[in-house]
Amino acid sequence: MLSRRSLSLALLAAPAIAHAQAWTPTGTVRIIVPFPAGGTTDILARLYAQRLTETMGVSVVVENRGGAGGSIGADVVAKAAPDGQTLLFHNLTFSTTTAALEFANRAPHSIERDFAPISLGANVPMMLLVHRDVPANNLTEFAAWARAQPTAPFYGSTGPGSTMNLIGEVLKRDGRFPMDHVPFRGAAPLVQDMLAGRIQFGGDQLSSSLTHIRGGALRPIGTLSATRASALPDVATVREQGFPNAEMLGWNGFFAPARTPEAVLVRLQAEIAAAARHPPLAARIQELGAEPGGNSSAEFGQAVHAQIAAMRPLVQSLQMRVE
């Protein structure tokens, strides 16, 4: 039997639920992932797509549009009809590429102007990794090893202006050691080249690299998060290792084109939040070393915009140029 308080809360929630369900998609909903298949962002997008297909009554599919640090796929969504049928699932590199492209006066779109934030999909720690043959267990040891090499070691990123491009340049500057940048179209090909030993240093979201770490093929030497990853508690944060400028919150989240009607955004946010709370999906996300999302559009938007604001002066200080 419902208590009076429970009944009151249910009555208060009813208008919000009805409002969230006022819009219904008319056909297949596309989730654009701006990276190749196989990386963390792609894995998480497919988990959400499966659950949203079950709850929304239409097919929700993932479409990979990799390249330019995620800018190509993002631009597809920026130019899509604002009808809720085309969504973007991006990650923290959206903030860094935005700042780098703005600095180079080559930004094809603006997060603030061209996108409507919907909700966080997951928070995922970003790990700094080295090939197993590199004799380093932390950033100090890696810096000493890099300085001792006859030629600069290679570090990989998901493209010019991406998170790892920015972090690589910050580490080189603050640690005073050499590295040469090798851009990739996404995290999956970057990790494959690191596994093959063609690049010695890189970064990846924990979800898609945990198997390689546990198998010993890659060694984590730092996390960009403010706190240590629960899955790898022995790996120190970059701040603990004396590199506070490299600290960065890892996230993956949903965006719609700007000017998407409020009723559409409300329904989508409600569906994503419900999916994030769905026990099997939440458990799967946690197995990947991530934390399920589902926050409000306002909370998600504020966090992303704050991160972009923090990235802009860093990009300017490094004079990062996106060619």
Side-chain angles (χ1 to χ4, degrees):
M1 183 175 180
L2 284 174
S3 68
R4 181 177 297 177
R5 175 174 172 77
S6 297
L7 180 60
S8 298
L9 290 173
L11 291 172
L12 286 171
I17 294 171
H19 182 56
Q21 294 178 340
W23 169 79
T24 301
T26 57
T28 299
V29 174
R30 294 188 304 159
I31 299 176
I32 303 297
V33 171
F35 304 103
T40 293
T41 305
D42 176 69
I43 293 169
L44 290 170
R46 293 179 188 278
L47 290 174
Y48 272 102
Q50 180 179 352
R51 179 58 182 167
L52 294 174
T53 295
E54 296 168 356
T55 61
M56 294 185 69
V58 297
S59 293
V60 180
V61 300
V62 172
E63 185 176 317
N64 299 93
R65 293 286 192 96
S71 292
I72 291 175
D75 207 46
V76 170
V77 179
K79 293 178 170 60
D83 57 7
Q85 303 288 146
T86 304
L87 309 178
L88 176 68
F89 192 68
H90 213 319
N91 62 30
L92 74 163
T93 207
F94 203 6
S95 303
T96 57
T97 52
T98 293
L101 287 165
E102 285 175 350
F103 181 65
N105 293 316
R106 296 186 61 243
H109 48 252
S110 162
I111 294 183
E112 293 95 336
R113 184 188 66 240
D114 298 319
F115 296 90
I118 304 173
S119 186
L120 176 73
N123 278 323
V124 188
M126 183 82 173
M127 308 302 296
L128 299 178
L129 307 165
V130 295
H131 184 265
R132 62 187 173 195
D133 291 340
V134 175
N137 293 295
N138 54 53
L139 285 167
T140 299
E141 291 178 0
F142 179 79
W145 175 81
R147 293 188 203 103
Q149 301 311 298
T151 58
F154 294 118
Y155 81 91
S157 85
T158 55
S162 65
T163 297
M164 266 311 301
N165 183 200
L166 178 63
I167 295 302
E169 297 305 311
V170 167
L171 295 174
K172 284 168 56 178
R173 180 194 67 184
D174 294 356
R176 299 182 181 180
F177 62 90
M179 286 195 298
D180 287 337
H181 178 216
V182 180
F184 293 84
R185 291 176 64 86
L190 184 161
V191 169
Q192 288 305 310
D193 264 34
M194 199 182 311
L195 289 169
R198 287 187 286 270
I199 60 173
Q200 292 76 43
F201 181 90
D204 189 22
Q205 295 187 85
L206 179 59
S207 300
S208 50
S209 59
L210 191 54
T211 299
H212 302 305
I213 292 170
R214 287 175 171 165
L218 298 177
R219 186 181 308 112
I221 62 171
T223 175
L224 301 187
S225 302
T227 58
R228 298 189 183 195
S230 58
L232 297 171
D234 294 333
V235 181
T237 68
V238 288
R239 181 175 291 275
E240 288 176 313
Q241 299 188 58
F243 292 88
N245 292 320
E247 186 175 284
M248 194 176 299
L249 175 66
W251 56 266
N252 292 261
F254 289 90
F255 299 83
R259 299 174 297 283
T260 297
E262 184 65 19
V264 176
L265 297 175
V266 169
R267 172 76 192 278
L268 289 168
Q269 190 282 330
E271 292 286 354
I272 292 163
R277 294 191 300 270
H278 184 56
L281 178 57
R284 180 68 181 121
I285 291 173
Q286 290 167 341
E287 286 172 6
L288 293 169
E291 176 188 342
N295 61 356
S296 72
S297 298
E299 291 168 333
F300 180 47
Q302 288 168 3
V304 173
H305 295 163
Q307 191 174 65
I308 297 168
M311 292 303 100
R312 284 174 175 137
L314 192 56
V315 166
Q316 291 172 2
S317 70
L318 290 166
Q319 296 288 297
M320 289 189 68
R321 298 290 180 183
V322 181
E323 301 298 335

